[in-house]
Amino acid sequence: MFNFRKVALGGLIIALMGTSLVYAQSQNWFLYKPCSRPITYTIDTFDPSFGISQEEFLDNIAKAVDIWEQPVAKNLFEYSPTGKLKINLVYDYRQEATDRLNELGIRIEDSQVSYNNLKVKYNSLVAEYESLKPVLDNLIAQYEAASKQYAQSVSYWNGRGGAPKGEYEKLQTQQKKLQADLNQINQMKNQINQLVDDINASVNVLNYLVRQLNLNVTNYNTIGTSRGQEFEEGLFVSDQSGQKIDIYEFDSEEKLVRVLAHELGHALGLNHVEDSDAIMYRLNQSQNSMLTAADIADLKQVCKMP
């Protein structure tokens, strides 16, 4: 799991704190003995909003499985329609934020450079919003005052059986002006609403990077309703209801395979390691798609391999 959240595992609360794992002893550490037989997996929840098919998702899972199996020549995972490990593709504000930032030409990495670049874009978006919002508020106030005056004039002349030709034509002109003003307001509203969505997407990712990089920065605030407090790419959970992997966010096939491999590592019982290139490093920042010596050492220790 690429974050610091708490995960319920075997009925216990496991606190992921950097690279150390604190846990209470239990006879039910896993519902199965790790590596004694393949962990069966299946796709449970699948949201097509990511733009990939179930077949492509299964293929990416298979690539993630190969990352673990090939170096040790052992069958650790196996697909089954009734697999015990449920793998879910969940589309929510996390992927929506990534998609929106991709449209702005911003690709997110777990790095200080990525944070700095996004902060510059965020500041630019906020400045644009702050310049447009007062203009919109003024246009709305003017429109409401003119609309009220127009409605009063119409009511006045209707109460007198109708307006004279000159007044009628004046009211027609006012009505057209009001409609034009309303169209301008709606266009600016759409522009500002898109800005708000871009800002909030940036905020979600900035706050995620602040936590991931342990930056001494106060959380950024969204405009309007926030669509989430947490931002993680994937999450492995094992509790009394079973075992599952939820995938929330990725911006490339390589990132998807790495986050799948990372969570599969947790399913095997592996903890985070210090090697920043490792699959089991706490941040999904490396371009490496193979197990490192640290990954293999932990895998062999968990699986009791020579």
Side-chain angles (χ1 to χ4, degrees):
M1 172 174 57
F2 294 105
N3 66 353
F4 293 99
R5 285 192 52 178
K6 290 184 176 179
V7 181
L9 182 56
L12 307 174
I13 297 297
I14 310 296
L16 295 177
M17 301 181 294
T19 57
S20 62
L21 186 62
V22 179
Y23 62 93
Q25 296 293 334
S26 170
Q27 294 180 348
N28 296 320
W29 173 237
F30 283 107
L31 301 181
Y32 50 83
K33 183 180 178 182
C35 311
S36 62
R37 62 180 183 273
I39 299 173
T40 59
Y41 66 88
T42 190
I43 294 179
D44 189 22
T45 301
F46 180 85
D47 193 321
S49 301
F50 285 84
I52 66 172
S53 66
Q54 289 198 41
E55 290 75 16
E56 289 171 320
F57 190 45
L58 272 173
D59 182 60
N60 285 313
I61 296 172
K63 291 178 181 177
V65 166
D66 285 344
I67 288 176
W68 289 106
E69 293 185 343
Q70 289 185 0
V72 295
K74 186 174 179 65
N75 187 18
L76 300 172
F77 298 94
E78 189 174 277
Y79 173 78
S80 169
T82 58
K84 291 183 178 179
L85 177 62
K86 312 297 183 184
I87 303 181
N88 306 305
L89 194 57
V90 183
Y91 191 97
D92 61 10
Y93 69 93
R94 283 161 281 215
Q95 184 64 33
E96 184 179 355
T98 297
D99 290 345
R100 184 166 287 277
L101 292 180
N102 282 340
E103 292 174 1
L104 296 175
I106 300 173
R107 181 170 179 177
I108 300 303
E109 303 288 346
D110 290 351
S111 68
Q112 184 73 48
V113 171
S114 187
Y115 169 81
N116 291 340
N117 290 339
L118 182 55
K119 183 180 177 182
V120 169
K121 183 63 178 179
Y122 164 81
N123 289 336
S124 172
L125 291 170
V126 170
E128 186 177 358
Y129 170 83
E130 290 178 345
S131 68
L132 289 177
K133 186 63 165 58
V135 175
L136 175 63
D137 291 341
N138 186 53
L139 286 175
I140 291 174
Q142 291 179 2
Y143 172 82
E144 289 177 345
S147 180
K148 182 178 179 180
Q149 184 180 27
Y150 169 79
Q152 288 174 343
S153 296
V154 170
S155 177
Y156 173 83
W157 288 114
N158 283 343
R160 283 158 179 73
K165 181 179 179 181
E167 291 296 330
Y168 175 81
E169 290 176 348
K170 186 187 296 184
L171 288 172
Q172 289 289 93
T173 300
Q174 290 177 2
Q175 185 184 42
K176 291 178 180 179
K177 176 68 165 54
L178 284 171
Q179 186 59 53
D181 290 345
L182 183 59
N183 291 340
Q184 181 183 4
I185 287 171
N186 286 334
Q187 289 176 1
M188 186 167 286
K189 274 186 176 181
N190 290 336
Q191 181 181 0
I192 289 178
N193 285 340
Q194 183 171 343
L195 270 175
V196 168
D197 285 343
D198 292 342
I199 290 169
N200 288 345
S202 301
V203 165
N204 281 332
V205 180
L206 281 169
N207 288 336
Y208 160 74
L209 291 174
V210 166
R211 291 191 297 272
Q212 292 294 81
L213 301 174
N214 293 322
L215 301 179
N216 186 22
V217 177
T218 303
N219 273 0
Y220 294 82
N221 295 321
T222 55
I223 298 174
T225 303
S226 173
R227 279 174 284 188
Q229 299 298 321
E230 304 282 345
F231 192 109
E232 59 272 327
E233 297 164 304
L235 183 67
F236 168 71
V237 176
S238 180
D239 55 26
Q240 293 178 349
S241 65
Q243 296 148 344
K244 67 175 182 175
I245 291 173
D246 291 333
I247 301 298
Y248 299 109
E249 185 270 339
F250 57 89
D251 60 8
S252 67
E253 180 179 321
E254 292 76 17
K255 275 289 194 74
L256 173 57
V257 172
R258 272 185 60 86
V259 71
L260 281 165
H262 183 94
E263 303 307 334
L264 288 172
H266 283 313
L268 287 168
L270 275 66
N271 186 25
H272 292 158
V273 300
E274 293 285 357
D275 182 0
S276 60
D277 283 330
I279 295 297
M280 293 311 297
Y281 186 60
R282 67 182 182 87
L283 302 180
N284 190 7
Q285 63 181 19
S286 175
Q287 302 299 316
N288 177 47
S289 59
M290 299 184 296
L291 299 186
T292 65
D295 291 317
I296 293 174
D298 274 16
L299 176 63
K300 288 185 175 181
Q301 181 179 4
V302 168
C303 294
K304 296 181 171 41
M305 297 177 184

